[in-house]
Amino acid sequence: MSFDPSTLTYNADGLVPCIAQDAASGEVLMMAWMNAESVAKTLETGRVTYWSRSRQAFWIKGETSGHTQELIELRVDCDRDCLLALVDQTGPACHTNRRSCFYTKVELSGETELSKPLF
């Protein structure tokens, strides 16, 4: 029995958030959006494919940068409205060339940058 992406709960724009997590370390890398077709493409190819809201086009992670995400496992949460992609990340996950997009710590007193770009 194959997975049916239409069983997910999408927002009004037909999108579902997907959190990418390093399968080996458990580090949370990034969050991006998927639609039903990008979920299907990700499962078919093993290359994580998102939906770019700004470009209105598919975005295969690493297609231009070489910073790829190979899918290890895809999970859905209990409400079926969020995905977790366990990935093998090559290079930085963030467009700022940091390992993770979550590099800013927020506290009542302000923000702290936790990591610098890798290159």
Side-chain angles (χ1 to χ4, degrees):
M1 184 172 153
S2 63
F3 175 73
D4 179 2
S6 71
T7 65
L8 298 174
T9 302
Y10 298 92
N11 68 14
D13 296 321
L15 302 173
V16 62
C18 180
I19 299 165
Q21 181 179 27
D22 187 285
S25 72
E27 180 181 20
V28 175
L29 301 172
M30 58 176 280
M31 190 289 288
W33 297 94
M34 290 184 164
N35 62 18
E37 193 173 348
S38 63
V39 171
K41 286 178 180 290
T42 296
L43 291 170
E44 289 167 11
T45 66
R47 302 236 6 238
V48 183
T49 304
Y50 299 106
W51 178 255
S52 171
R53 294 176 302 162
S54 60
R55 294 188 305 270
Q56 292 291 294
F58 293 108
W59 159 43
I60 300 171
K61 183 65 174 162
E63 189 172 47
T64 57
S65 69
H67 305 153
T68 59
Q69 290 180 348
E70 296 299 323
L71 183 68
I72 303 301
E73 186 175 304
L74 189 64
R75 298 180 184 179
V76 62
D77 77 334
C78 57
D79 293 325
R80 303 189 70 78
D81 63 357
C82 187
L83 297 172
L84 175 65
L86 301 176
V87 302
D88 179 12
Q89 176 72 45
T90 300
C94 184
H95 75 282
T96 66
N97 286 323
R98 290 172 173 86
R99 175 77 181 152
S100 169
C101 292
F102 298 97
Y103 61 87
T104 304
K105 179 180 172 181
V106 178
E107 298 176 289
L108 188 58
S109 60
E111 297 182 8
T112 305
E113 185 178 295
L114 301 174
S115 65
K116 299 289 184 195
L118 298 175
F119 45 84

